[in-house]
Amino acid sequence: MNKKDFLDYLNKNILVLDGATGTELQKRGMPSGVCPEMWVIENPDVILDIQKDYINAGSNAVYTCTFGGNRIKLSEFGLGDKVVEINRKLAQLSKKAVGENGFVAGDLAPTGKFVKPFGDMPFEEAVDIYKEQVKGLLEGGVDFFVIETMMDIQEARAALLAVKESCDLPVCVSMTFDESGRTLTGTDPVSALIILQSFGADAVGCNCSTGPQDMIKIIRAMKPYAKVPLLAKPNAGLPRLIDGKTRFDMGAEEFGSYIGEFIEAGVNLLGGCCGTSPLYIGEIRKNMEGLSPIPPQPKEICALASARRTVFVDANEPVVVVGERINPTGKKKLQEELRQGMTSLVRQFAIEQVEKGANILDVNVGMPGIDEKETMIKVVELLSSISDAPLCLDSSSPEVLEAALRIYPGRALINSISAEKAKIEKLLPIAAKYGAAFIILPLSDAGVPKSAEERCRIVEEVFNQASKLGYMKKDVIVDGLVMTVSADQEAALETLKVIKWCTDSFGCGTIVGLSNVSFGMPERAWINSAFLAMAIGYGLTMAILNPSSDTLMSIKMASDVLKAKDKNSKRYIEHFAALKSGMPEVSEKKDTASSVEKVYDAVVKGDRENIRKYIDNALNDGTEPSVIVDKYLIPAITHVGDLYDRKEYFLPQLIQSAETMKEAFGILEPLLKKESEDKKGSKVGVVLATVKGDIHDIGKNIVGLMLRNYGFEVYDLGKDVSAEEIVKKVKETKAPIIGLSALMTTTMLEMREVVNLVRKEGLDTKIMIGGAVVNADYAKEIGADGYSEDAYAAVKLASRLAGI
């Protein structure tokens, strides 16, 4: 199936997908603890029957049984060298099952590891892992691809790139959002959509984790901005344990009652996830009779996104501030740090600018004496983790820009592409491949045009070339090209004419860098400020400036009010309320903070790079190691937990802070050795394990890291651990707490086996459980002592169970 046929079909029809595969396999005899992919190959009639049942129930397409078909997952069963072969055979089985009656989607799913910058796996390694799987699925004859159940936007990007660089088949990407409306790494539905559709996904959506009600909300949030069809595969409600078996609480008929709402919300591909069966697909088919899909009708607006936030650029939106400070030009200290491979000032400038009101961060690391590509990658990874502001990537090197765009987990803005032949030929294809928006700089090989008319002509020339690669006018921002009025008093007027033309005639956003206009003049701040107000009056949508300038930020806020871009003057009021309150400057806090306060701040901000320096300074100042731990480190990680609870921090920040804490403990541990020996016997032990048959351990590993940082003695048994092994370890260590994890409905029953064996052995051990498929009700049903929804909640629960 080619992309045109795929999209034509979805404009006229709802594509009905299949339902759950894992639970259906289990129903039909697949034992727990086996490799599902290999078991299906050895028992082909089972998958043939399941997928024929789905087609007969009304599915137009089925997913290959390759959810765990990547090298990392298959290696758990000693099958890592058979990826291509296994995927080819499973795709061939699905093709045989559907025959001429349906399509086959090659199924790619999480590896179980987080990808940089949110985890340890290098981005290119993730791409290669998925390419290997894609190769086998292509050999098996799949019609299109579905990347599903993704919790990490960067892993989803890696899988999408693997498909794009392997073939031209359509590819859908489906993320998993929790009840708060975000993925595990903090991505919201709109940001996921903006990132994935700009990166080349042919359909975007969501599956798993939630039932129909919550999933409809996600589709509704995406639809206004969707340029591509939307996909939904909800669970059949929530899992329950009934008569010793996992059941979902929503029947097929109730599930079917939501179909009209899904289609009205804008779904174009619809199926079922955990707990669904051919009966549920039959209800989808029955309830969609007479209903037509709503084709994509996106708002005409420019959207830039980080992994956790989208910024809209539009004439009706407040002027977007692009923070200019991450640029080594004229900054000797920053230059020296970058040469040494350090990023302390980059971190500081990023945090300060965002706190002062920057919506986007401009990133320029070009200077003599460094590897610009390596430095740019390092800085982009850092900023992606510590800030939710989208990035504007600023480099004259196509190689550097491509390297940054490839690993950036968002939709970036390129600064900039001109009409110069060498630039436009190299940069436009790179921008298009990675879905970046870009700034058009009205320069040509002839030089800098003085008149607005000539600049506008160049803008049209660059855009005409970009439009051939799929760019719309809302995907580009025009730089008005500010020249200094000290050399030419007409210069500012020409720039304003360009801004007005873009706003009134051409129909795209505009940006200026303010400082050039006043170069060589006395009291430059007044000229910069007046020019900003005038430009906003002419329709300016973005400004590159230093957000620490209260004058510029105040004029920007006031201009937004006067142009009716700030609804109910909310931002203006908040801005001046903050100024009136006398809040100290961020830089002043940095300069006056004591060495131990910097230790605290480093843990809160996940600054692993500088924690050793701050601890050494605190020790040199005479602070006792135990005081650093008790008064600063523990309160800092506790505060991080509070931020995580309030959804101000997400998993990446939680992990960074935990790793910084771990580094700090590593430094202080030798100094606390005697004290540690004295207290060793009083540490509370926790035996951690992912239950038998389940090979997912990423969540359990994070829990272990957090528990250790709070002083627990953690005995991590790993994954696929039997009840007998767990009980044996409890007896050996006398640990008073067991922590169990399960990510699959097929393995959550093993938790009850552990509880039963612990009670049978007469152990007075408290048991806490966690994982995507379990909840507090399930904990009660199996007799566990508590449930935690995430790593920080696990720390609080363990503390309560231990009575500390």
Side-chain angles (χ1 to χ4, degrees):
M1 183 194 297
N2 62 45
K3 294 190 178 190
K4 183 179 182 304
D5 290 343
F6 181 75
L7 296 175
D8 285 347
Y9 182 93
L10 292 173
N11 278 330
K12 299 171 187 173
N13 307 278
I14 303 293
L15 184 69
V16 180
L17 304 168
D18 59 8
T21 297
T23 46
E24 288 300 299
L25 289 171
Q26 190 180 33
K27 282 182 198 174
R28 304 185 196 209
M30 185 181 76
S32 61
V34 301
C35 172
E37 288 75 22
M38 184 53 72
W39 188 86
V40 166
I41 288 172
E42 292 168 350
N43 300 271
D45 289 343
V46 177
I47 196 68
L48 292 173
D49 288 344
I50 291 170
Q51 296 190 329
K52 284 176 183 176
D53 286 349
Y54 277 126
I55 294 294
N56 291 334
S59 293
N60 301 116
V62 301
Y63 289 12
T64 55
C65 185
T66 53
F67 186 92
N70 58 70
R71 187 194 318 156
I72 290 178
K73 291 287 184 66
L74 290 176
S75 293
E76 302 289 341
F77 301 98
L79 299 169
D81 59 341
K82 298 185 183 302
V83 173
V84 174
E85 175 189 342
I86 286 171
N87 280 271
R88 180 178 63 249
K89 287 180 177 178
L90 290 169
Q92 288 168 341
L93 282 173
S94 292
K95 290 292 286 185
K96 183 178 178 181
V98 304
E100 299 297 318
N101 300 315
F103 302 113
V104 172
D107 189 7
L108 306 177
T111 61
K113 293 189 175 184
F114 287 119
V115 180
K116 282 187 175 182
F118 307 133
D120 296 327
M121 184 189 290
F123 183 75
E124 293 303 331
E125 182 181 335
V127 174
D128 289 343
I129 284 168
Y130 285 116
K131 279 185 177 178
E132 187 178 27
Q133 194 176 0
V134 168
K135 183 176 188 295
L137 292 168
L138 286 171
E139 289 178 7
V142 298
D143 299 297
F144 65 102
F145 284 88
V146 172
I147 298 161
E148 65 153 320
T149 322
M150 285 288 172
M151 298 173 282
D152 174 5
I153 192 70
Q154 188 71 320
E155 187 173 40
R157 288 181 73 255
L160 178 54
L161 191 60
V163 177
K164 284 177 59 180
E165 291 185 340
S166 300
C167 68
D168 292 322
L169 291 182
V171 54
C172 312
V173 186
S174 146
M175 304 296 295
T176 291
F177 301 92
D178 62 23
E179 290 178 358
S180 73
R182 288 185 180 265
T183 69
L184 188 61
T185 53
T187 304
D188 63 278
V190 172
S191 296
L193 171 76
I194 297 301
I195 293 165
L196 294 168
Q197 70 181 10
S198 65
F199 200 46
D202 298 292
V204 175
C206 44
N207 75 289
C208 207
S209 284
T210 59
Q213 276 184 307
D214 288 326
M215 200 164 282
I216 287 169
K217 295 174 190 173
I218 293 168
I219 295 298
R220 284 190 175 133
M222 288 181 172
K223 189 63 178 179
Y225 309 102
K227 298 178 182 178
V228 297
L230 297 180
L231 177 157
K233 261 194 154 198
N235 289 347
L238 297 170
R240 300 271 187 253
L241 190 66
I242 301 171
D243 299 329
K245 293 186 178 179
T246 305
R247 299 276 189 265
F248 281 77
D249 64 3
M250 184 176 288
E253 189 173 338
E254 184 184 355
F255 184 88
S257 70
Y258 289 97
I259 301 312
E261 281 187 76
F262 267 115
I263 295 171
E264 182 190 358
V267 157
N268 308 93
L269 303 93
L270 187 57
C273 204
C274 299
T276 61
S277 69
L279 284 176
Y280 291 74
I281 302 306
E283 288 295 322
I284 293 177
R285 178 61 68 183
K286 183 176 79 174
N287 285 279
M288 63 181 272
E289 286 299 323
L291 299 176
S292 300
I294 301 173
Q297 298 169 328
K299 288 183 179 180
E300 289 293 319
I301 195 167
C302 178
L304 306 169
S306 70
R308 298 187 295 281
R309 182 160 69 98
T310 296
V311 172
F312 295 108
V313 183
D314 187 71
N316 297 315
E317 295 285 332
V319 172
V320 172
V321 173
V322 181
E324 67 182 5
R325 296 186 67 198
I326 303 174
N327 186 328
T329 304
K331 299 184 182 79
K332 290 184 178 179
K333 193 172 178 183
L334 178 58
Q335 291 174 10
E336 187 56 33
E337 273 207 359
L338 292 176
R339 284 195 185 98
Q340 293 174 6
M342 305 287 284
T343 55
S344 299
L345 279 175
V346 170
R347 175 188 289 272
Q348 180 184 329
F349 289 162
I351 292 169
E352 287 176 2
Q353 289 184 107
V354 171
E355 289 184 1
K356 279 294 188 177
N359 310 106
I360 291 171
L361 296 173
D362 189 73
V363 183
N364 184 326
V365 296
M367 65 176 199
I370 65 166
D371 183 328
E372 187 185 358
K373 177 178 168 182
E374 181 184 320
T375 305
M376 177 67 91
I377 289 172
K378 185 174 185 177
V379 168
V380 167
E381 288 183 340
L382 170 72
L383 296 177
S384 299
S385 299
I386 68 168
S387 172
D388 64 1
L391 301 185
C392 176
L393 303 173
D394 189 353
S395 174
S396 59
S397 165
E399 183 187 12
V400 170
L401 282 173
E402 178 161 23
L405 289 169
R406 193 170 177 90
I407 57 95
Y408 177 54
R411 189 192 192 206
L413 179 66
I414 294 175
N415 186 10
S416 53
I417 300 178
S418 69
E420 295 163 289
K421 191 171 187 294
K423 292 279 183 73
I424 198 168
E425 289 181 354
K426 290 181 179 178
L427 289 178
L428 270 183
I430 292 171
K433 177 177 180 179
Y434 298 100
F438 67 90
I439 296 169
I440 296 178
L441 187 65
L443 289 177
S444 69
D445 289 318
V448 180
K450 290 190 70 172
S451 73
E453 291 75 18
E454 181 61 13
R455 293 177 195 177
C456 294
R457 186 195 65 74
I458 292 173
V459 168
E460 289 183 311
E461 178 188 329
V462 174
F463 177 73
N464 287 339
Q465 292 297 314
S467 66
K468 295 174 185 176
L469 297 173
Y471 277 92
M472 309 292 285
K473 287 181 179 177
K474 293 296 183 182
D475 294 318
V476 300
I477 306 292
V478 169
D479 188 331
L481 201 57
V482 178
M483 308 303 288
T484 177
V485 292
S486 63
D488 177 7
Q489 199 159 3
E490 302 290 320
L493 292 174
E494 294 304 307
T495 299
L496 293 174
K497 287 178 189 175
V498 174
I499 293 170
K500 183 173 174 57
W501 173 78
C502 289
T503 304
D504 297 343
S505 302
F506 190 67
C508 74
T510 50
I511 190 168
V512 292
L514 292 175
S515 56
N516 245 14
V517 72
S518 61
F519 186 78
M521 299 288 282
E523 300 294 337
R524 294 178 62 186
W526 293 110
I527 293 177
N528 293 345
S529 301
F531 182 66
L532 174 63
M534 292 174 71
I536 293 173
Y538 277 84
L540 184 75
T541 53
M542 303 180 79
I544 302 175
L545 54 84
N546 181 352
S548 293
S549 168
D550 286 337
T551 303
L552 286 177
M553 291 301 292
S554 297
I555 283 175
K556 173 254 188 296
M557 294 289 179
S559 298
D560 284 341
V561 170
L562 296 173
K563 289 280 288 184
K565 295 181 174 189
D566 183 0
K567 191 173 181 182
N568 299 321
S569 304
K570 183 183 175 186
R571 289 181 173 87
Y572 178 88
I573 292 167
E574 289 174 351
H575 173 73
F576 283 98
L579 288 181
K580 264 192 168 183
S581 70
M583 289 170 63
E585 296 284 334
V586 178
S587 57
E588 289 177 1
K589 285 192 289 184
K590 281 276 181 184
D591 292 339
T592 61
S594 68
S595 53
V596 283
E597 287 171 337
K598 288 180 179 178
V599 169
Y600 177 95
D601 197 49
V603 172
V604 171
K605 292 188 168 121
D607 186 2
R608 191 175 177 182
E609 183 178 87
N610 289 303
I611 189 67
R612 177 176 289 277
K613 176 176 72 176
Y614 297 150
I615 287 176
D616 286 345
N617 290 342
L619 293 170
N620 290 336
D621 289 345
T623 309
E624 293 294 326
S626 59
V627 172
I628 296 174
V629 173
D630 295 339
K631 297 287 183 68
Y632 296 94
L633 291 181
I634 297 297
I637 201 69
T638 301
H639 180 52
V640 169
D642 291 339
L643 292 172
Y644 183 74
D645 269 354
R646 299 200 302 264
K647 301 294 182 186
E648 293 178 37
Y649 269 20
F650 298 95
L651 190 61
Q653 293 102 314
L654 185 69
I655 292 174
Q656 283 181 51
S657 292
E659 291 290 353
T660 305
M661 182 82 163
K662 183 179 176 182
E663 181 87 3
F665 271 131
I667 297 163
L668 292 168
E669 193 171 19
L671 304 174
L672 295 165
K673 191 170 183 183
K674 184 178 183 304
E675 187 178 344
S676 294
E677 287 299 320
D678 292 342
K679 291 184 176 179
K680 191 171 184 181
S682 65
K683 270 192 175 183
V684 175
V686 181
V687 172
L688 276 186
T690 299
V691 295
K692 184 178 178 181
D694 202 316
I695 59 170
H696 302 86
D697 67 351
I698 191 164
K700 183 259 300 167
N701 292 344
I702 295 166
V703 168
L705 177 64
M706 292 298 291
L707 286 169
R708 288 187 186 95
N709 281 342
Y710 277 84
F712 288 87
E713 188 79 35
V714 176
Y715 306 99
D716 190 342
L717 301 183
K719 52 202 169 190
D720 190 19
V721 185
S722 69
E724 290 76 16
E725 289 177 80
I726 293 167
V727 168
K728 180 182 176 184
K729 191 67 176 180
V730 169
K731 289 179 177 178
E732 175 191 317
T733 60
K734 303 194 184 321
I737 300 172
I738 296 171
L740 301 176
S741 173
L743 196 68
M744 301 188 296
T745 55
T746 52
T747 58
M748 59 192 282
L749 295 176
E750 289 294 327
M751 291 178 164
R752 167 167 272 184
E753 297 299 318
V754 177
V755 172
N756 289 344
L757 186 57
V758 167
R759 305 304 179 227
K760 181 182 175 183
E761 294 288 327
L763 300 173
D764 186 26
T765 310
K766 303 295 184 186
I767 300 172
M768 60 184 195
I769 67 170
V773 293
V774 300
N775 55 29
D777 289 340
Y778 184 71
K780 288 178 185 175
E781 286 179 35
I782 65 173
D785 298 285
Y787 157 78
S788 66
E789 61 183 357
D790 54 52
Y792 183 59
V795 172
K796 292 197 287 188
L797 176 58
S799 299
R800 180 169 61 79
L801 293 177
I804 56 176

